[in-house]
Amino acid sequence: MARLGTDKFVVEREKEVATRLSPGVFPTGRQSEWSAQNRTLTHSVHPLTNSVALCVAGKQPREQLKTEIRVYEQDQRIYVCGFGTTPDERLSFINDTHAVFSAIQSIMDARETHVGVDALLRMSALYREAMLRQVRVLQDARDSEFVRSESDVFQAMHAVWHLLEIVYVTTNSGLSASVVPYYMEWLNFNFPAPAAADGERIIGSSPDSNALAQNPDVWPYVQKLALRGHVTTVANMLERIAPAQVLSAAASRWARELAQTARDMPLASSDETSGSFNARWRRWNSGLQSMATNIGSMLDKADDDALSALAMVVDVMRGDADSISRVGDTWQDVLGAVLLYSEPTAQTERLPALAQLVLEQFESDDFTLVDRTLAALVRHELPEFLVYCNQIDAWLSAHVSDLMQHIGILDSCRRVFKVEPREHYLVFLGERYLTHEGLWRVAMDYFGLCRTRVSQNIMGEYIVRMPLESDRKAQQVLRVCERYKLTEAMERVHRQLGRQKWQRGRLGAAIAHFVRVNDSSAVGQICDQLWAEYLASGNLTYGPIIDSVLATSAHDRVRFLTVYRDFHECYKGGEFKRAGKLLLSILVGEIAPSHAV
């Protein structure tokens, strides 16, 4: 197979996106005429999301034109165009998997070491459950090109993730030394074949064993069953066929023999030694070899279509490479049969060599993206695998690189990538999520949990540009700053909030924000504004404002307004002696501004 060049591991360009405005700003094919009417397009790019606001503008001010330009309805529209955005249909999946991602990082923080295998298996199971749940949701949705595309993406992601789990987590957990049963489980779950509907159709259209034996689809179906290791179903089908009178005596006899042999296929168990299992396997395989020899000698003497088809089933089950290749349609099929019937105790380390032998039988130009991704994985070519994951979906590459980090296999990618792969893909995913207004908090966690200085800087630049539409949003932003120790960003947010509150007349809240960042100048200006309003109106109304910040501020201007307020109340209440002491404390303490003395 062709390999990717190392330059592919550095920067991957996004697919070009074309957006068509509907209705358009000018009739199709009349752009030149439209432009000659002093018109052009102007735009503004959103600072955080992948959206652009477009509208018609004049090349020159209308006042400078010698002739009047007619204004059309399209000239009054503002078009907001989004590209590369996160669809709403993914929100549930994103939130569910974000919770799993955050939990596994918390476990790592608590242990201050690599995450254990059991925790990784639980995490992986939760991720796969979320993918399958999303597939079911999409299958229940109204059919459309988008739904079909999304369903294909999530099924591909599950197949890739499931195999990664098997190769690098499950078979390294001590649960089993052999990768074979897990590979076959993966193959039949993610790429089910032959279709159960095919079997039902074949049996349904064959009322008796004679009709079944003469059905042209039955033997290819049985051969596919054998290829996928469905030996019990193979036995059931052969037992249905064997009584057919249209079969030769030899074909009927060997169909029964093979049915029993299929039922006797050895299965490894955790309480059996590898030596004991290998001895049972050799005896079983030896029986198939003898059966193949006997059937072959009979076919040399006379043609028998049923016996010939039966011989192909025997050859597949005894592990004959040529027969397996003829029956198998995909390299995944062929690799599974080779593992199952030729090397049933193969360990993960054996996969690259076997996979290479199988892949050489196929034309790589015909491979899909999923084929290439899985092939890179079984060959243990992890940098190439990670690049292909990103081409499938940004979610996949981000979480795969995180899993690889926890497993301890990401170093092979670091030697090839010119950037830190985990950080690169997590930040890339976070930026994708920022295109959706409801996912900014999730995006911040993906930035923050990269745990690198670069990601911290990126998060700081994003966080100070967040629109603070409400007090709730503002508090959420400040909590993010506090959690990830974004000191500089927190100061900038407090100053921004202070200015907002000040402009809206919420002076107590403004003082509280400025106090948090020790902005004495702004606090002083607000206090001077309160004092000026008192002098202008003669009514001392700033008391509640000062009380709301008194506990958090030791600023001289705040103390001055507080003491003066107390002096004013004592004087007004006839407590002249106490009022005098308060006034004296203002003068002696020199807390009053010069313009107030």
Side-chain angles (χ1 to χ4, degrees), residues 224-291:
K224 293 288 186 184
L225 288 172
L227 186 78
R228 284 300 191 94
H230 301 305
V231 290
T232 300
T233 310
V234 168
N236 292 338
M237 290 297 293
L238 291 175
E239 288 170 352
R240 283 175 174 266
I241 297 170
Q245 295 178 356
V246 295
L247 292 181
S248 66
S252 181
R253 172 199 166 194
W254 288 113
R256 291 189 177 91
E257 288 274 351
L258 184 55
Q260 186 57 51
T261 301
R263 293 192 187 280
D264 293 339
M265 179 177 172
L267 298 175
S269 61
S270 58
D271 57 352
E272 183 180 25
T273 64
S274 59
S276 173
F277 173 76
N278 286 332
R280 289 198 300 123
W281 181 268
R282 284 192 296 270
R283 287 194 298 271
W284 182 79
N285 186 261
S286 177
L288 284 169
Q289 298 288 352
S290 298
M291 190 180 300

Side-chain angles (χ1 to χ4, degrees), residues 358-412:
V358 171
L359 289 165
E360 289 173 353
Q361 303 172 29
F362 291 83
E363 180 56 55
S364 62
D365 292 341
D366 296 333
F367 284 2
T368 65
L369 176 57
V370 178
D371 286 330
R372 297 179 186 277
T373 309
L374 297 171
L377 176 57
V378 295
R379 290 198 310 254
H380 294 187
E381 294 175 351
L382 297 180
E384 187 173 342
F385 165 68
L386 196 50
V387 170
Y388 284 139
C389 284
N390 193 55
Q391 292 176 12
I392 292 175
D393 196 86
W395 182 95
L396 185 62
S397 54
H399 292 83
V400 161
S401 61
D402 181 61
L403 178 61
M404 291 169 67
Q405 167 82 359
H406 296 313
I407 297 172
I409 59 174
L410 198 57
D411 285 343
S412 62

Side-chain angles (χ1 to χ4, degrees), residues 21 24-42 54-59 69-77 79:
L21 304 181
V25 295
F26 52 80
T28 303
R30 299 176 63 181
Q31 179 179 356
S32 299
E33 178 184 344
W34 174 84
S35 178
Q37 296 287 322
N38 189 47
R39 285 176 171 81
T40 187
L41 281 178
T42 186
L54 295 169
C55 64
V56 175
K59 297 178 181 178
I69 297 295
R70 182 178 177 183
V71 177
Y72 296 92
E73 181 185 354
Q74 292 94 321
D75 297 339
Q76 311 303 314
R77 291 195 181 100
Y79 300 84

Side-chain angles (χ1 to χ4, degrees), residues 161-238:
W161 188 280
H162 192 184
L163 187 58
L164 176 66
E165 173 192 308
I166 288 170
V167 173
Y168 284 104
V169 184
T170 303
T171 53
N172 290 324
S173 65
L175 297 177
S176 172
S178 174
V179 72
V180 178
Y182 297 102
Y183 181 91
M184 296 306 297
E185 177 189 359
W186 166 82
L187 179 63
N188 287 312
F189 184 87
N190 292 280
F191 304 99
D198 290 344
E200 294 172 0
R201 176 181 52 79
I202 291 170
I203 293 173
S205 62
S206 307
D208 54 34
S209 59
N210 285 323
L212 185 60
Q214 291 176 316
N215 191 312
D217 297 327
V218 70
W219 289 114
Y221 178 70
V222 173
Q223 290 163 5
K224 293 288 186 184
L225 288 172
L227 186 78
R228 284 300 191 94
H230 301 305
V231 290
T232 300
T233 310
V234 168
N236 292 338
M237 290 297 293
L238 291 175

